[in-house]
Amino acid sequence: MTPRGLTFIYVEYGDMERLQLELRYSLSTLLYWGRPFALDVVVYTDKPYRHADLPVRLVDISGKISEFSRDGLYHHRIKPCVLLKEMETSTNYCVMADTDTFFREGFFERLLASLRSGAVAVDRRHGRNPMPQLAGFATSLPNAGPYRYDPKLAVEYNSGLTAVDPERHLPVVQDAIAWIDAVLDHGARQPIEQIALSECLRA
């Protein structure tokens, strides 16, 4: 059986030059330390020409920004939407990395060991009860079913890097997007995409 590879996913849109520079530095460390491994790198962007010289796949999302962000209501919703889009067609493990992520020696061995064991890899743990104002909030998620925010159980992990297995975790990302929408409709506007993924993994 051919070992499964790693698909690294970046999202870069808008006009912040800093994000473009961060992406190039991140990619340089990714390719340097990841050279022995089966890597696929994709950049989802609204301006593909900015990255035409890079050794990556480019996906133009200029026509999807409004849909993915709910007409600009919450732009960080774009991240799980892009992750889901890649997971729907990929046979690799999918790793979403923020543009300011950089990679070091030994990372890929540890990442693959975690993913092959069935685990999800995330950046770091922030703590319990990340949104106290959601106490008692309830909704129904498409895969996990009934959900209620419990301050004693709710948890948040940072999503600066998120690594998942499409064969196992597609329903989790679908639920995370539904969780974001339900919380937005509830009135929340703080950064919630990483809480969504954390809570849906827990659920």
Side-chain angles (χ1 to χ4, degrees), residues 72-142:
L73 178 64
Y74 188 63
H75 277 91
H76 287 312
R77 185 179 182 273
I78 294 171
K79 293 171 62 177
C81 288
V82 162
L83 177 58
L84 180 63
K85 182 176 176 64
E86 191 66 30
M87 291 173 72
E88 288 173 340
T89 58
S90 181
T91 58
N92 286 342
Y93 299 112
C94 291
V95 188
M96 174 159 275
D98 282 355
T99 55
D100 61 356
T101 303
F102 63 92
F103 301 90
R104 301 170 72 173
E105 185 177 13
F107 168 80
F108 294 92
E109 291 86 351
R110 294 174 61 191
L111 177 66
L112 279 167
S114 294
L115 291 169
R116 287 167 179 164
S117 75
V120 168
V122 291
D123 186 9
R124 62 187 181 276
R125 186 179 189 273
H126 284 311
R128 294 283 183 189
N129 195 21
M131 295 185 70
Q133 68 271 34
L134 284 185
F137 167 77
T139 189
S140 181
L141 300 174

Side-chain angles (χ1 to χ4, degrees), residues 1 22 30 33 35 44 51 53 85 90 92 105 108-109 111 121 145-147 150 164-165 184 187 195 198:
M1 179 182 296
E22 286 178 353
L30 170 64
W33 293 112
R35 191 175 295 115
Y44 283 77
H51 311 293
D53 62 323
K85 182 176 176 64
S90 181
N92 286 342
E105 185 177 13
F108 294 92
E109 291 86 351
L111 177 66
Y147 166 88
D150 185 337
V164 291
D165 182 350
L184 288 174
I195 303 173
S198 302

